[in-house]
Amino acid sequence: MHLNTIGRKLTAILLVILTFVSSTSVGAAQQTARLRSCLETEHMYQVLTPDVLGKTSLKSRDDQFIAFTGLIKYSSVEKNHKKITVYGDSIGVEVDTSSSAVIGNVGQLKLGDYVTVYGQVDGSEVDAEHLVVNPEKAPEILSYVFYPDKAYNEKAVTDLARDGHVTFYLPESWDNEFVSGRLKNNDVNGYQFFLNAIYPQNLNYPENFYIFYFNYETYLDKVKKNPDSADIEDIEELVIDNILQVLSDNFKIDITTLKLSDGKKFDYCSTVYKPADGNDYRLEFLFKHDSTGFVCMLYLYYPNDYAVNHLKDVAYVVETLRN
């Protein structure tokens, strides 16, 4: 399997992604890969209600990460504090609170309190990871949240693939003409987002996110009916090589598997890009393939705390991707 004029097709992406500085080298990454760490350790919870959870049956949501707010009633709390029942209008949801991270909060619960539960569905109950007693503001129903302070409402994007089979969701702050732009160079269909233009703005260092769909029929001379993982990995490496355009012959692109907390898997590669300004910029590539091609995502940033301000925004987009 080999690529059909992939250099011509993707050179325009290279120019868009890396023209903010002149390159000198690409090298092995040493700093922590922020996005990978976030996706492996942080959970994104869908906000529901106890009544919805009861009516649809928790078992149908097994292993999903959810959050909900409800009422503490009489006999809601077991004496050993290892279980509580949180009520909606008419239905209660059993919550396992035996985790050392939450059991200490159970003792302060009293009749009439409201509590927000963040946790993972396990059969007929929810394993609590966080409890907030009498929250000042409960998370908005049907939004997605990272604990404790990052919430998102859905805005679907469905035109990444021409047949519409790829969907992802945008944070509201990304839906802005100064932040969002299209990638349409040489039949490449995707988006670019200049995140450092969002508050708090950072004019000194880029923080960018790119997403596009790579269709096998468009970019390959010959398309295998059922390409195996080695075939797909070879193509992903060529895409990375084409975007960077600065790799030496002995530089090895290391594609690994990234597994999210909810079980979704991505092919993944991380590297450092060192331009003429002398700063080491982190590049994290993620690929999600299907029967006709794959989604390629690239998160580019300067890996200092003051320059990485939208990490969870990016994680939200990755988490909501469906193809």
Side-chain angles (χ1 to χ4, degrees):
M1 183 181 294
H2 59 286
L3 295 179
N4 173 26
T5 60
I6 186 172
R8 180 178 64 80
K9 295 289 186 182
L10 294 187
T11 294
I13 293 183
L14 160 75
L15 295 176
V16 173
I17 291 176
L18 298 181
T19 50
F20 65 93
V21 280
S22 299
S23 66
T24 55
S25 65
V26 172
Q30 299 299 322
Q31 304 97 335
T32 299
R34 304 288 183 97
L35 180 57
R36 177 166 194 147
S37 178
C38 180
L39 290 168
E40 288 179 331
T41 60
E42 297 276 356
H43 297 154
M44 187 176 72
Y45 306 89
Q46 184 181 23
V47 182
L48 301 168
T49 68
D51 296 279
V52 166
L53 292 170
K55 289 175 182 176
T56 60
S57 173
L58 278 174
K59 291 183 179 180
S60 67
R61 299 178 181 273
D62 200 29
D63 292 330
Q64 291 183 15
F65 290 92
I66 61 171
F68 59 95
T69 301
L71 183 67
I72 297 298
K73 293 186 176 181
Y74 181 74
S75 298
S76 277
V77 181
E78 289 191 357
K79 289 183 179 180
N80 62 8
H81 294 177
K82 291 185 178 181
K83 285 188 184 295
I84 64 174
T85 304
V86 179
Y87 289 89
D89 293 333
S90 58
I91 296 175
V93 176
E94 290 188 359
V95 180
D96 185 328
T97 53
S98 60
S99 165
S100 59
V102 299
I103 195 169
N105 293 334
V106 178
Q108 62 180 292
L109 293 174
K110 58 185 183 298
L111 181 67
D113 279 344
Y114 281 89
V115 59
T116 299
V117 178
Y118 300 81
Q120 185 175 21
V121 179
D122 182 10
S124 60
E125 63 183 20
V126 176
D127 292 340
E129 297 178 331
H130 308 283
L131 288 181
V132 179
V133 180
N134 294 320
E136 291 184 12
K137 183 180 179 181
E140 186 176 343
I141 296 168
L142 296 182
S143 66
Y144 287 86
V145 296
F146 286 97
Y147 178 84
D149 59 354
K150 199 71 175 175
Y152 300 93
N153 293 308
E154 296 183 349
K155 178 178 175 56
V157 178
T158 60
D159 61 355
L160 198 65
R162 289 184 174 87
D163 62 3
H165 79 278
V166 178
T167 301
F168 65 94
Y169 292 91
L170 285 185
E172 292 180 4
S173 60
W174 291 27
D175 187 24
N176 183 301
E177 62 179 327
F178 299 107
V179 176
S180 174
R182 294 304 303 262
L183 289 174
K184 288 187 174 180
N185 305 292
N186 295 323
D187 294 329
V188 174
N189 190 41
Y191 288 86
Q192 55 188 330
F193 300 96
F194 304 100
L195 306 183
N196 51 306
I198 304 171
Y199 178 86
Q201 294 179 343
N202 190 324
L203 301 180
N204 296 316
Y205 299 103
E207 184 183 6
N208 299 344
F209 181 76
Y210 307 85
I211 181 169
F212 63 91
Y213 189 72
F214 183 97
N215 184 280
Y216 296 146
E217 290 283 354
T218 302
Y219 295 106
L220 300 181
D221 278 337
K222 297 179 181 179
V223 182
K224 248 187 180 180
K225 187 174 181 180
N226 294 301
D228 59 27
S229 59
D231 293 324
I232 295 170
E233 188 171 307
D234 286 343
I235 302 168
E236 292 167 348
E237 290 181 4
L238 286 170
V239 169
I240 294 173
D241 179 72
N242 186 269
I243 290 174
L244 296 178
Q245 292 280 297
V246 288
L247 301 182
S248 61
D249 291 338
N250 61 357
F251 182 83
K252 187 177 185 303
I253 298 173
D254 187 17
I255 303 284
T256 61
T257 299
L258 171 60
K259 185 175 181 180
L260 275 57
S261 56
D262 63 359
K264 290 195 293 290
K265 293 181 180 180
F266 294 82
D267 288 345
Y268 172 87
C269 178
S270 174
T271 189
V272 168
Y273 179 74
K274 190 169 185 176
D277 67 3
N279 295 310
D280 289 330
Y281 292 90
R282 167 73 67 173
L283 292 88
E284 295 187 64
F285 290 88
L286 294 93
F287 301 91
K288 185 69 173 173
H289 56 84
D290 54 46
S291 61
T292 60
F294 53 73
V295 177
C296 176
M297 294 172 281
L298 168 59
Y299 182 38
L300 182 155
Y301 56 92
Y302 182 62
N304 276 21
D305 290 341
Y306 57 81
V308 182
N309 295 306
H310 305 285
L311 176 61
K312 287 186 177 179
D313 289 4
V314 175
Y316 167 75
V317 175
V318 174
E319 292 259 20
T320 60
L321 176 70
R322 299 290 184 272
N323 65 328

